[in-house]
Amino acid sequence: MIGLDESKWEFLARFIFEQDRDGKSRLGESRNIRTLADVLDNGHAREALERGTTTLMQAKQLLGGSDSAFRGFVSQADQSLELARLEMDGVSFGPHDVEAIERVRLSAVTLRKAVQDHIDESV
């Protein structure tokens, strides 16, 4: 078909129908179709969803670009790190754990710099 981007259709079909080990698709319930349409209509949210790094509900939070969504993501990251710290007892650590933590550290440093630059530009 002319003008049909097959990779986009493949992504959509997989998102809606492909099931994980628990028999659930990334879409979840059919009532989430409207949310999916809204996310796919927004370039920023769509890109996050297509990268596979966000859930549909997380991508939905990107629609408004709101202060509360940003702060919510930072708060979730902080809480997740605290839970990881509390869950350390009895874990068999390896180099991949150090690498993952280093990626988190670099992401935090990059985010902090971007926020500080934004503050400095506003003054």
Side-chain angles (χ1 to χ4, degrees):
M1 216 181 253
I2 297 174
L4 176 66
D5 185 344
E6 290 185 26
S7 67
K8 301 292 185 190
W9 284 105
E10 180 181 350
F11 167 79
L12 185 60
R14 286 175 164 258
F15 192 89
I16 294 172
F17 298 111
E18 191 173 71
Q19 297 180 352
D20 63 15
R21 286 185 224 131
D22 297 326
K24 297 179 182 176
S25 73
R26 287 184 64 196
L27 176 66
E29 299 177 4
S30 61
R31 67 180 174 178
N32 293 334
I33 288 282
R34 178 73 246 163
T35 301
L36 178 60
D38 292 342
V39 166
L40 294 177
D41 196 39
N42 178 285
H44 182 61
R46 183 185 67 247
E47 287 174 21
L49 191 64
E50 288 176 346
R51 279 194 311 268
T53 56
T54 62
T55 66
L56 180 58
M57 293 307 126
Q58 290 168 329
K60 178 183 176 184
Q61 289 179 301
L62 296 172
L63 291 176
S66 70
D67 294 358
S68 63
F70 173 82
R71 290 187 180 103
F73 288 133
V74 171
S75 178
Q76 286 172 356
D78 185 38
Q79 291 170 11
S80 292
L81 289 171
E82 179 60 18
L83 288 173
R85 189 187 65 73
L86 294 171
E87 191 63 25
M88 290 177 60
D89 290 344
V91 174
S92 299
F93 296 108
H96 60 280
D97 296 308
V98 174
E99 292 166 7
I101 293 167
E102 180 61 13
R103 285 192 304 274
V104 170
R105 187 189 72 78
L106 290 173
S107 291
V109 167
T110 301
L111 181 60
R112 185 194 182 286
K113 182 179 179 342
V115 168
Q116 188 63 56
D117 289 349
H118 187 72
I119 292 169
D120 293 344
E121 290 172 5
S122 300
V123 193

